[in-house]
Amino acid sequence: MIRIGILGDIGSGKSFVANSFGFPVFNADNEVTKIYNKDKKVFIKLKKIFPKYISSFPINKKEIINLIIDKKSNLKKIVKILHLEVRKKMYNFIKQNKGKKIIVLDIPLLLENKINKKSDILIFVDSKKSDILKKLSKRKNFNKKLHKKFKEIQMSSRIKKKKSKFVIKNDFKKKTIDRNIRTILNKIL
């Protein structure tokens, strides 16, 4: 099985690129949302550490946003708790897709949390900063302060790009993405 890891800045189009491959995708952001909505054990852990912020189950994303913005160290504490659960879900995903030729990992902190393997094919999604900001500002819950906090715990784009085997220049056009993906697939299959 070939594991493809998608890297890039927040808002660069990683999820769109990941889904465009046409193979099973593990999307860590979606898993985190499910955990907030369905995992009572995580709720209890978070409530114990952040009783001032976390009030009820399912966990309200606004409460999470407030506690992250309030104190930088809070984000690291949340990531530590969620990381274990997301990793378990990823292992289950890999097990369920054992027979597939390719799986795609759309995990924002793939390198930072050392989830990748040496044999993974890393692909960096490169987008213009102006396009990213335009795209992010259209998101319903976009928060500049929160965006900044997440950027602080991520590896620089320069390093991610350097560690990647391929770079996809994302102009946010499906045709361009599909062409890039075909080229990559022809090289790795």
Side-chain angles (χ1 to χ4, degrees):
M1 172 196 311
I2 297 171
R3 289 174 29 148
I4 294 176
I6 305 294
L7 309 174
D9 282 334
I10 297 166
S12 63
K14 294 183 300 295
S15 295
F16 179 73
V17 168
N19 290 320
S20 296
F21 270 90
F23 293 99
V25 175
F26 178 79
N27 183 308
D29 288 344
N30 289 347
E31 294 303 324
V32 168
T33 299
K34 288 179 196 171
I35 289 167
Y36 286 153
N37 289 325
K38 297 177 181 174
D39 195 322
K40 206 126 191 188
K41 287 187 297 182
V42 170
F43 164 72
I44 291 165
K45 286 179 189 175
L46 289 172
K47 179 125 175 90
K48 190 175 181 182
I49 298 170
F50 306 110
K52 184 175 138 188
Y53 298 96
I54 307 296
S55 60
S56 62
F57 184 79
I59 299 168
N60 183 330
K61 258 194 166 167
K62 284 186 178 149
E63 293 174 339
I64 297 290
I65 290 168
N66 290 336
L67 78 95
I68 291 170
I69 289 172
D70 215 25
K71 196 173 178 188
K72 185 181 178 179
S73 63
N74 288 348
L75 178 56
K76 288 181 181 169
K77 290 175 188 172
I78 292 170
V79 168
K80 195 174 181 181
I81 292 166
L82 288 175
H83 172 70
L84 291 170
E85 297 306 315
V86 171
R87 193 179 278 256
K88 283 181 206 169
K89 290 180 178 292
M90 184 193 79
Y91 289 139
N92 285 337
F93 169 83
I94 291 169
K95 205 185 299 180
Q96 288 169 355
N97 290 286
K98 208 169 38 182
K100 304 289 187 212
K101 191 183 283 191
I102 294 176
I103 60 165
V104 183
L105 304 175
D106 180 6
I107 304 172
L109 299 174
L110 182 74
L111 298 179
E112 293 84 346
N113 286 332
K114 297 174 177 65
I115 300 171
N116 62 304
K117 288 184 171 183
K118 278 191 175 185
S119 60
D120 288 354
I121 294 171
L122 301 178
I123 300 172
F124 184 81
V125 179
D126 194 14
S127 306
K128 287 183 190 171
K129 295 263 183 271
S130 58
D131 289 342
I132 290 173
L133 288 172
K134 205 184 301 175
K135 192 172 169 270
L136 286 174
S137 65
K138 290 178 184 175
R139 285 186 182 175
K140 195 174 96 179
N141 295 325
F142 178 66
N143 182 309
K144 260 188 173 166
K145 288 180 184 174
L146 184 66
H147 178 254
K148 189 174 185 261
K149 298 272 184 187
F150 277 108
K151 292 275 296 170
E152 288 170 5
I153 66 164
Q154 291 188 343
M155 220 176 256
S156 76
S157 295
R158 187 180 46 79
I159 293 170
K160 286 182 185 179
K161 200 184 230 182
K162 203 174 185 178
K163 289 181 178 276
S164 297
K165 185 168 182 162
F166 299 100
V167 175
I168 291 180
K169 293 261 186 217
N170 189 6
D171 60 2
F172 296 97
K173 293 182 179 131
K174 184 158 178 41
K175 196 176 178 180
T176 308
I177 299 304
D178 289 344
R179 188 175 353 103
N180 278 286
I181 288 172
R182 274 193 308 277
T183 302
I184 292 168
L185 289 175
N186 286 334
K187 289 181 181 177
I188 65 174
L189 291 176

